[in-house]
Amino acid sequence: MVLKVFFPSCCSSADSGILIGRWISEQSSAVILAVVHFPFIPVQVKQYLGEVQRVTKVSVSVLGSWSNSKQEKEESLSEFLEDLGTIFCHEPWIQISKEGDSKFWSCSTLQKHSKNPQEEEIILVYYDQRKVMLSHLHPPLDTAGQRAEDASKLSAIFDTVARSQVLFMTDRYDEGPIKLTHWQSDGVEASIIVELLKQASVPACMLLTFLLSLVSGICRSRVLKFWPLSFLWSKLSTCEQLGHRLQHLQVISSNKKAQNQNQLMRKANICVSLLIDMALGILLMSWLYRRNRIGHLADTLIPVADHVAEELQDLLQWLMGAPAGLKMNRALDQVLGRFFLYHIHLWISYIHLLSPFIEMILWYVGLSACLGLTVALCVLSDIIALLTFHIYCFYVYGARLYCLKIYGLSSLWRLFRGKKWNVLRQRVDSCSYDLDQLFIGTLLFTILLFLLPTTALYYLVFTLLRLLVVVVQGLIHLLVDLIDSLPLYSLILRLCRSYRLAAGVKFRVLEQQDGKPLRLLMQINPLSYRGVIQTYRLPTYSCYPRDSWASLCKKLFLGELIYPWKHKGDKQN
């Protein structure tokens, strides 16, 4: 039988005493948590361990004795250490001794109450108590078979040290009957700044909670559910991002304590993401309002809009002729071309009507950057959507005409084959048609077939323009999703204190000699950066429908609309 003793490296130079910790019988492992020094009263030690066990819910007990003598171990001390096993009554009683400056320690077990004592092979494992207590062990992604069993064994060790935090709150300067040695025995780690921030966070969270409840009440009011406001709230990505950030603020300002490490890390990631987002937004706002960049941007916006309108007019004139040598239906080509030219004329008039107010609008819109860089990017996406609204209208007109002809041709093609679409059963059934129906169907099929190339060409051109706008807006929203979902606090923690995010452990052999226990050093393997992102990635709202390429090609062929936002009919991915 192999007995594993996990010994904290900070206690290797401690004075002689008794070992307190937890015995894990399922693994035949002893997790040493601290050393109690001589002199002590056994009754006081038992009372102290009972209080610790009541608070931490960890079965802490006296596991054995520890002897650290620079001279040769006296025989009286050896007998006294053996007698302690009778007082505290733990099976097996572990005896660890360090003699002088020797690298090899002696470790043995006593089983006084066992009828058939067995010789046990002992493995002495050193661990860094501070790193193990502050780290959070993440189970492997492939939790199957032996790896899952090993992870559960390791988690018992990590959980024992983490839950015994109350035991580490006493140092050697405390005036008490019991003196302990552990990783904080020289002084409890604390920071005045952190303590002041904890005290100041309570009224700040109360104020923030009140303001957020007020804002949430306004957002849930019936005024915003009426048609114009509800339509804008559901279509503008700026409103979606503001609602998303409002949920983040509610999570941060919640008075409810985090139940586990994942919830605590989620709050920390959201807090850091908000702070960095607002810092980048303030930097962007300071850059915009410096050297009158808003005025230069407004002066550039109108000529760019005029240039885009002129290019569209030239494109329509080209389509109304013989584009790429193709012979189009002259009448339909002229009707569609003049229809779209009239819309461009209306758009130019609309832009010039707003030109005196463009600078003032941009000045007030630039203030939204103080709410964060993501809000400013969403505002930019909405501005692009408004400035290219005429392209969207052209795309909708072309898609509707093309879709109408495609569905008309498919329906008439079923008529030729003696089929029809059964709406109730959602299938194609056989049907008999008379001569008049076949004649009218042939005429309509011929008309739609010869008009299809003209409509398809307009649909193709405007779809490409629409896809260009969608790609630009999609890149902006990808950047917004990256800022919203990236677990920045976890990545910073992985970079600075990688042991806080543990993926597992590795053991390094220190010394091995016949007749002496095998000495191993337990080292923490940090979680990879990819694992950090997969584990702590924050949820985001999906502003764009994430269709597959096959689904996108099917929509383009059938003339279905590609929306720049996620409407109620789309499924959330």
Side-chain angles (χ1 to χ4, degrees):
M1 183 178 179
V2 179
L3 174 64
K4 299 178 285 296
V5 180
F6 291 85
F7 191 86
S9 56
C10 58
C11 297
S12 58
S13 59
D15 297 332
S16 300
I18 56 175
L19 303 173
I20 60 174
R22 179 190 176 191
W23 172 255
I24 306 176
S25 58
E26 296 84 3
Q27 305 178 23
S28 298
S29 302
V31 183
I32 308 300
L33 298 175
V35 176
V36 179
H37 304 302
F38 299 120
F40 57 82
I41 301 175
V43 176
Q44 293 179 344
V45 173
K46 290 182 178 181
Q47 290 177 354
Y48 177 73
L49 294 181
E51 293 178 359
V52 172
Q53 185 172 351
R54 179 177 54 84
V55 175
T56 61
K57 307 299 181 184
V58 178
S59 57
V60 181
S61 59
V62 178
L63 300 179
S65 61
W66 159 254
S67 175
N68 183 10
S69 177
K70 295 184 179 180
Q71 301 176 354
E72 291 186 2
K73 187 168 59 175
E74 300 179 359
E75 187 175 339
S76 59
L77 180 61
S78 176
E79 294 177 356
F80 175 70
L81 293 175
E82 290 182 6
D83 292 339
L84 287 176
T86 307
I87 298 174
F88 291 102
C89 300
H90 184 272
E91 290 284 343
W93 181 258
I94 303 172
Q95 289 182 327
I96 304 176
S97 61
K98 177 184 178 183
E99 300 178 2
D101 296 329
S102 175
K103 296 188 299 182
F104 298 99
W105 297 5
S106 63
C107 185
S108 60
T109 59
L110 294 177
Q111 298 180 0
K112 293 185 178 181
H113 302 284
S114 178
K115 296 180 179 179
N116 298 319
Q118 298 178 356
E119 225 177 288
E120 296 180 341
E121 181 182 353
I122 301 176
I123 300 177
L124 198 58
V125 182
Y126 296 95
Y127 71 95
D128 192 328
Q129 200 170 55
R130 177 177 180 272
K131 290 184 178 181
V132 171
M133 194 200 74
L134 296 177
S135 63
H136 175 55
L137 182 63
H138 297 75
L141 297 178
D142 183 18
T143 55
Q146 188 66 27
R147 296 185 65 188
E149 185 179 353
D150 296 340
S152 63
K153 292 180 180 180
L154 287 175
S155 62
I157 309 297
F158 278 71
D159 184 65
T160 300
V161 180
R163 290 167 59 186
S164 304
Q165 186 176 3
V166 178
L167 187 66
F168 308 136
M169 298 307 293
T170 57
D171 53 30
R172 64 176 61 183
Y173 305 105
D174 291 336
E175 297 179 358
I178 299 176
K179 301 296 182 182
L180 299 174
T181 293
H182 45 75
W183 73 278
Q184 288 194 131
S185 57
D186 291 332
V188 179
E189 285 190 357
S191 174
I192 299 177
I193 299 177
V194 172
E195 294 299 326
L196 290 176
L197 289 176
K198 287 181 180 179
Q199 297 296 328
S201 63
V202 176
C205 286
M206 292 178 63
L207 178 61
L208 187 60
T209 304
F210 172 74
L211 295 176
L212 289 176
S213 62
L214 186 63
V215 174
S216 300
I218 295 174
C219 294
R220 289 194 298 265
S221 62
R222 295 184 178 180
V223 178
L224 297 179
K225 295 182 180 179
F226 290 113
W227 175 75
L229 295 178
S230 63
F231 179 80
L232 291 176
W233 186 267
S234 61
K235 300 305 181 185
L236 294 179
S237 57
T238 304
C239 298
E240 294 285 346
Q241 178 64 20
L242 287 175
H244 187 63
R245 283 307 188 191
L246 183 61
Q247 293 177 359
H248 283 176
L249 289 174
Q250 289 175 346
V251 171
I252 294 175
S253 61
S254 175
N255 296 327
K256 188 178 180 180
K257 188 178 179 180
Q259 300 295 327
N260 49 38
Q261 183 72 13
N262 290 332
Q263 292 184 5
L264 184 63
M265 293 291 289
R266 181 172 180 266
K267 280 191 174 183
N269 285 322
I270 290 175
C271 183
V272 173
S273 177
L274 279 173
L275 292 177
I276 294 179
D277 186 22
M278 293 184 67
L280 293 176
I282 292 174
L283 287 177
L284 176 62
M285 187 174 64
S286 64
W287 180 82
L288 284 175
Y289 288 95
R290 191 181 301 171
R291 297 180 183 178
N292 195 24
R293 288 190 174 92
I294 294 288
H296 297 315
L297 183 61
D299 295 337
T300 308
L301 190 61
I302 301 301
V304 169
D306 290 340
H307 178 70
V308 172
E310 290 176 1
E311 292 294 332
L312 285 176
Q313 287 178 340
D314 295 339
L315 178 63
L316 288 173
Q317 293 293 342
W318 177 71
L319 290 175
M320 292 172 66
L326 298 176
K327 183 173 179 59
M328 314 296 292
N329 185 277
R330 183 68 178 174
L332 181 60
D333 195 10
Q334 292 294 322
V335 169
L336 292 178
R338 290 174 183 176
F339 176 75
F340 292 130
L341 284 174
Y342 178 69
H343 276 71
I344 293 177
H345 174 71
L346 291 178
W347 179 253
I348 294 175
S349 302
Y350 168 71
I351 291 294
H352 284 281
L353 185 64
L354 291 178
S355 58
F357 310 101
I358 291 294
E359 184 176 356
M360 182 180 65
I361 293 174
L362 291 179
W363 195 90
Y364 285 108
V365 166
L367 295 176
S368 63
C370 66
L371 299 176
L373 180 62
T374 55
V375 177
L377 291 174
C378 289
V379 170
L380 176 62
S381 175
D382 292 334
I383 290 176
I384 293 176
L386 292 175
L387 291 179
T388 59
F389 186 70
H390 54 305
I391 297 179
Y392 177 70
C393 291
F394 295 164
Y395 164 71
V396 171
Y397 299 151
R400 289 304 185 191
L401 287 174
Y402 178 78
C403 181
L404 178 64
K405 292 188 178 181
I406 288 294
Y407 280 100
L409 288 173
S410 62
S411 179
L412 294 173
W413 177 250
R414 286 194 294 267
L415 183 141
F416 291 153
R417 296 182 298 144
K419 305 287 185 179
K420 74 170 184 176
W421 175 254
N422 193 329
V423 181
L424 296 178
R425 297 188 177 182
Q426 295 293 309
R427 68 182 186 184
V428 178
D429 294 335
S430 300
C431 181
S432 59
Y433 297 96
D434 55 20
L435 186 60
D436 295 337
Q437 290 176 332
L438 292 174
F439 177 73
I440 296 175
T442 304
L443 291 178
L444 292 176
F445 183 83
T446 305
I447 294 172
L448 292 178
L449 183 63
F450 283 105
L451 293 180
L452 181 63
T454 305
T455 309
L457 182 61
Y458 276 88
Y459 169 68
L460 176 63
V461 171
F462 292 135
T463 300
L464 293 177
L465 292 176
R466 179 62 194 155
L467 286 178
L468 179 62
V469 177
V470 168
V471 167
V472 173
Q473 290 183 282
L475 292 176
I476 294 174
H477 283 282
L478 280 178
L479 183 58
V480 172
D481 286 347
L482 179 64
I483 298 175
D484 283 342
S485 64
L486 202 61
L488 297 175
Y489 176 77
S490 300
L491 291 175
I492 295 173
L493 202 63
R494 171 63 178 83
L495 181 64
C496 300
R497 295 186 177 184
S498 57
Y499 61 87
R500 295 286 299 272
L501 305 174
V505 297
K506 60 182 178 181
F507 297 94
R508 183 166 63 89
V509 178
L510 294 179
E511 287 92 14
Q512 185 176 9
Q513 187 182 15
D514 294 338
K516 298 291 183 180
L518 175 63
R519 297 173 62 193
L520 303 176
L521 177 63
M522 186 176 74
Q523 297 175 335
I524 295 177
N525 284 331
L527 197 64
S528 64
Y529 287 99
R530 181 181 178 183
V532 171
I533 295 175
Q534 289 179 351
T535 305
Y536 294 111
R537 187 176 185 270
L538 297 173
T540 60
Y541 76 94
S542 181
C543 190
Y544 266 71
R546 296 171 182 171
D547 297 323
S548 61
W549 284 105
S551 176
L552 183 61
C553 293
K554 179 181 177 182
K555 284 186 176 182
L556 292 177
F557 178 76
L558 296 178
E560 298 180 7
L561 295 180
I562 304 174
Y563 289 93
W565 45 68
K566 182 169 286 296
H567 57 91
K568 295 181 180 179
D570 291 332
K571 295 181 180 179
Q572 184 72 25
N573 292 314

